[in-house]
């Protein structure tokens, strides 16, 4: 079986990512280079049963003829054909199997190299809704407070209801410097929240590492791109040369990526011959991938996860948890257990089909799809990490009820200002806390949250969140590794 081309990297056309970061199969035996399947593969798989019958062709041709001759306005034949192909893919009911027209497919493939423009998040289609998988580290989406599992219901006033994932992405994407005003449904909020983002260039570095004075190292992996395994190996070697005594691997809000990369990373910490992952095809045949050239580490390892850890992140967490003695700590992962291949030469016009072709299973054979990897130690983040950022259209003041007030109260509490409630009612104590904040920031002490106060508060909250000392999940992981 011959594959050619490059793995489609899931950053769609310089914008928010369409569908969960595809865990790409790399060859028929999970060895070699990342793939996009060629026409020859499709042709080899084609048999007589795959051809349309005369009756089926007649039905399709009849519909096209009726539309072209009777529809109220003219429509291009290409639009009808593209719509028909999209309809076939939609009939699968699989958010990860999609059709991209030539213009979309071209930009989709080019984005693999690691930089693009947009809001810097990834979305999937679930039950007809556009759902955030995770924001990218340092992106407008992360800075603006977009979270995993947020449901985007409109963009700049345009509803996403009834749209395909590609149509939703087309609305969300845009030029650097342009504004994307998102209306979002979030669990725990009784009404939609507004997130305003300014699209920007997203330059992706996928691996970050640190080590403390006690020799406890942290390696954060933001996604699994073509060069992530190489970067991880270099950082791990550097940490070990500094006397590494324990390791935290942080894959929170990591939506996944290329399967070969995660295999190469996992086997660095696994005993030779251990199962890293299993792939099960449509016939139920399981293909196991074994660790090569590595050995299980003699220092403790913790994998840090949350609801934005998806696909390849879950493969890593499951492999190290079940086959390398690592501890998974944090929150339940996203739950994507399928494998996609992108066929970039199957269509003569340059379009692209991305198709789910298999399930992936953990070393012990568990399928985590729609369930996720369960942490050994559950640790929830502080509330301030998940509240909506403030986006004021009017001042917030005493005796109001709103989700914005609730966010305000959670932020004030995190920053150390005394509030008597966090249910969204602007109480007298909330007013006093706002006044205390304003006084400390040398603002006019009114107890009313205007745009200037909101901006200053947002700035302080972002500083708070970026301080690792306030990251309860990370600190628990470091403590756990240190205790071992």
């Amino acid at each position: 079986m011959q594959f050619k081309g490059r793995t489609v990297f899931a950053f769609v056309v310089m914008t928010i990512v369409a569908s969960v970061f595809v865990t790409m199969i790399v060859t028929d035996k999970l060895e070699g280079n990342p793939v996009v399947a060629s026409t020859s593969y499709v042709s080899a798989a084609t048999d007589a049963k795959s051809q349309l019958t005369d009756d089926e062709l007649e039905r399709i041709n009849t519909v096209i003829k009726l539309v072209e001759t009777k529809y109220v306005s003219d429509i291009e034949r290409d639009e009808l054909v593209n719509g028909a192909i999209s309809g076939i893919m939609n009939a699968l009911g699989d958010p990860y199997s999609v059709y991209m027209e030539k213009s979309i497919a071209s930009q989709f493939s080019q984005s693999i190299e690691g930089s693009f423009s947009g809001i810097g998040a990834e979305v999937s289609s679930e039950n007809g809704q556009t759902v955030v998988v995770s924001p990218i580290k340092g992106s407008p989406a992360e800075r603006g407070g977009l979270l995993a599992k947020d449901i985007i219901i409109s963009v700049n006033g345009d509803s996403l209801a009834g749209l395909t994932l590609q149509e939703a992405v087309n609305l969300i994407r845009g030029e650097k410097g342009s504004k994307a005003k998102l209306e979002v449904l979030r669990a725990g909020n009784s009404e939609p929240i507004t997130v305003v983002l300014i699209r920007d260039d997203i330059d992706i570095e996928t691996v970050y590492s640190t080590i403390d004075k006690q020799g406890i190292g942290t390696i954060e992996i933001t996604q699994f791109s073509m060069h992530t395994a190489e970067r991880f190996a270099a950082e791990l070697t550097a940490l070990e040369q500094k006397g590494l005594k324990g390791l935290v691997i942080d894959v929170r809000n990591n939506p996944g990526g290329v399967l070969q990369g995660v295999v190469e990373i996992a086997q660095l910490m696994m005993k030779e011959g251990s199962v890293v992952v299993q792939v099960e095809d449509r016939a139920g045949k399981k293909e196991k991938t074994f660790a090569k050239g590595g050995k299980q580490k003699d220092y403790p390892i913790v994998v840090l996860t949350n609801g934005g850890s998806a696909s390849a992140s879950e493969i890593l967490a499951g492999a190290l948890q079940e086959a390398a003695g690592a501890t998974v700590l944090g929150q339940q992962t996203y739950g994507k257990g399928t494998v996609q291949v992108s066929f970039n030469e199957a269509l003569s016009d340059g379009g692209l089909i991305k198709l789910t072709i298999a399930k992936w299973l953990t070393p012990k054979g568990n399928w985590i799809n729609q369930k996720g990897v369960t942490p050994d130690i559950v640790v929830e983040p502080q509330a301030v990490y998940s509240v909506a950022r403030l986006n004021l259209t009017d001042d917030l003041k005493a005796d109001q009820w709103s989700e914005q007030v609730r966010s305000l109260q959670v932020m004030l509490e995190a920053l150390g200002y005394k509030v008597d409630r966090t249910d969204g009612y602007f109480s007298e104590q909330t007013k006093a806390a706002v006044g205390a904040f304003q006084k400390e920031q040398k603002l006019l002490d009114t107890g009313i949250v205007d745009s200037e106060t909101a901006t200053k508060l947002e700035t302080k909250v972002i500083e708070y969140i970026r301080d690792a000392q306030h990251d309860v999940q990370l600190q628990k992981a470091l403590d756990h590794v240190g205790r071992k």
Side-chain angles (χ1 to χ4, degrees):
M1 185 183 301
Q2 180 65 37
F3 292 99
K4 61 189 294 185
R6 301 180 299 178
T7 304
V8 175
F9 189 57
F11 287 119
V12 172
V13 293
M14 301 192 307
T15 181
I16 191 166
V17 186
S19 89
V20 170
F21 246 107
V22 287
T23 301
M24 286 294 184
I25 194 167
V26 282
T27 70
D28 56 342
K29 293 183 180 296
L30 303 182
E31 298 172 350
N33 297 319
V35 313
V36 176
S38 67
T39 309
S40 60
Y41 176 59
V42 179
S43 299
T46 301
D47 56 29
K49 292 182 180 180
S50 301
Q51 303 297 326
L52 291 175
T53 66
D54 291 342
D55 178 63
E56 290 167 338
L57 280 172
E58 182 180 357
R59 289 161 58 195
I60 293 172
N61 284 328
T62 297
V63 173
I64 290 177
K65 182 178 180 180
L66 283 172
V67 171
E68 289 185 327
T69 60
K70 304 296 185 183
Y71 186 61
V72 67
S73 59
D74 291 336
I75 186 167
E76 294 291 333
R77 174 68 68 94
D78 279 350
E79 291 185 45
L80 298 178
V81 174
N82 288 334
I85 298 172
S86 295
I88 292 172
M89 303 306 294
N90 292 338
L92 300 176
D94 175 12
Y96 311 122
S97 295
V98 296
Y99 163 64
M100 300 178 200
E101 299 172 22
K102 180 179 179 180
S103 60
I104 303 297
S106 174
Q107 297 175 65
F108 181 68
S109 297
Q110 291 169 4
S111 64
I112 184 175
E113 297 304 331
S115 65
F116 64 100
S117 297
I119 69 169
E122 181 189 356
V123 295
S124 175
S125 179
E126 298 181 16
N127 301 317
Q129 297 177 312
T130 303
V131 182
V132 175
V133 177
S134 66
I136 295 168
K137 181 181 178 67
S139 68
E142 185 195 47
R143 294 193 299 268
L146 207 61
L147 300 176
K149 304 294 186 181
D150 280 350
I151 299 171
I152 304 174
I153 57 177
S154 72
V155 182
N156 293 333
D158 295 322
S159 174
L160 302 189
L163 300 185
T164 65
L165 186 59
Q166 181 174 321
E167 290 169 336
V169 167
N170 289 343
L171 284 178
I172 296 168
R173 70 185 181 189
E175 299 293 329
K176 176 183 177 179
S178 60
K179 181 172 72 173
K181 182 179 180 181
L182 311 180
E183 291 295 320
V184 172
L185 294 176
R186 177 173 296 169
N189 290 276
S190 58
E191 59 189 47
I193 61 176
T194 301
V195 179
V196 178
L197 307 174
I198 304 300
R199 301 178 180 98
D200 199 356
D201 290 335
I202 313 297
D203 188 18
I204 304 164
E205 169 59 67
T206 61
V207 180
Y208 302 82
S209 72
T210 60
I211 189 168
D212 63 21
K213 294 179 180 179
Q214 285 72 46
I216 307 302
T218 301
I219 299 181
E220 180 183 8
I221 310 172
T222 60
Q223 64 198 30
F224 294 91
S225 70
M226 292 173 64
H227 306 293
T228 299
E230 179 183 341
R231 289 279 299 110
F232 182 92
E235 294 298 326
L236 181 61
T237 297
L239 293 181
E240 289 178 338
Q241 290 174 347
K242 295 177 182 178
L244 185 65
K245 294 183 174 61
L247 178 64
V248 175
I249 302 174
D250 187 351
V251 292
R252 290 175 298 175
N253 291 328
N254 179 328
V258 182
L259 179 56
Q260 184 64 23
V262 72
V263 169
E264 291 174 2
I265 289 173
Q267 64 187 10
L268 290 173
M269 296 163 282
M270 300 179 70
K271 183 180 178 182
E272 176 102 17
S274 299
V275 176
V276 178
V277 65
Q278 303 184 54
V279 173
E280 180 180 337
D281 66 16
R282 61 186 293 170
K285 179 182 177 182
K286 295 183 178 69
E287 188 82 37
K288 296 180 179 180
T289 299
F290 298 95
K292 299 177 181 178
K295 63 178 182 179
Q296 188 164 328
K297 300 298 183 181
D298 56 5
Y299 49 75
I301 297 174
V302 167
V303 183
L304 188 53
T305 64
N306 68 2
S309 305
S311 194
S313 296
E314 296 172 291
I315 292 176
L316 181 63
L320 297 183
Q321 182 185 52
E322 292 186 359
T327 299
V328 175
L329 183 149
Q331 296 164 289
Q332 196 85 5
T333 61
Y334 187 87
K336 179 182 180 291
T338 55
V339 180
Q340 283 73 41
V341 164
S342 288
F343 299 94
N344 73 329
E345 296 182 5
L347 302 177
S348 60
D349 68 341
L352 181 147
I353 295 289
K354 178 161 71 71
L355 193 65
T356 298
I357 54 91
K359 304 174 181 178
W360 71 261
L361 313 175
T362 66
K364 294 182 179 179
N366 295 315
W367 192 37
I368 58 84
N369 202 54
Q370 298 183 352
K371 296 182 292 185
V373 175
T374 300
D376 300 294
I377 302 173
V378 176
V379 180
E380 301 292 336
Q382 293 185 55
V384 73
Y385 284 78
S386 60
V387 297
R389 305 281 79 89
L390 297 178
N391 179 49
L392 301 187
T393 54
D394 297 300
D395 293 348
L396 302 180
K397 58 185 70 174
D399 208 32
Q400 290 180 340
W401 280 96
S402 73
E403 292 294 342
Q404 293 268 43
V405 174
R406 177 177 174 273
S407 292
L408 166 69
Q409 292 166 330
V410 172
M411 292 177 183
L412 289 168
E413 185 175 55
L415 295 176
Y417 296 93
K418 184 179 179 181
V419 293
D420 58 341
R421 58 202 301 161
T422 56
D423 59 359
Y425 174 69
F426 202 124
S427 62
E428 286 299 318
Q429 182 57 49
T430 302
K431 180 179 179 180
V434 171
F437 174 80
Q438 290 171 324
K439 187 176 295 184
E440 186 169 309
Q441 300 302 316
K442 298 180 171 55
L443 301 173
L444 188 61
D445 178 8
T446 63
I448 297 173
V449 181
D450 56 12
S451 60
E452 185 179 15
T453 300
T455 299
K456 181 65 73 171
L457 183 61
E458 289 277 3
T459 300
K460 291 298 179 182
V461 167
I462 291 172
E463 291 175 1
Y464 180 92
I465 289 174
R466 289 179 176 173
D467 186 343
Q469 295 302 315
H470 300 138
D471 187 341
V472 174
Q473 293 173 318
L474 176 60
Q475 294 305 317
K476 289 285 186 183
L478 292 171
D479 288 347
H480 185 78
V481 169
R483 285 198 302 273
K484 283 197 170 184

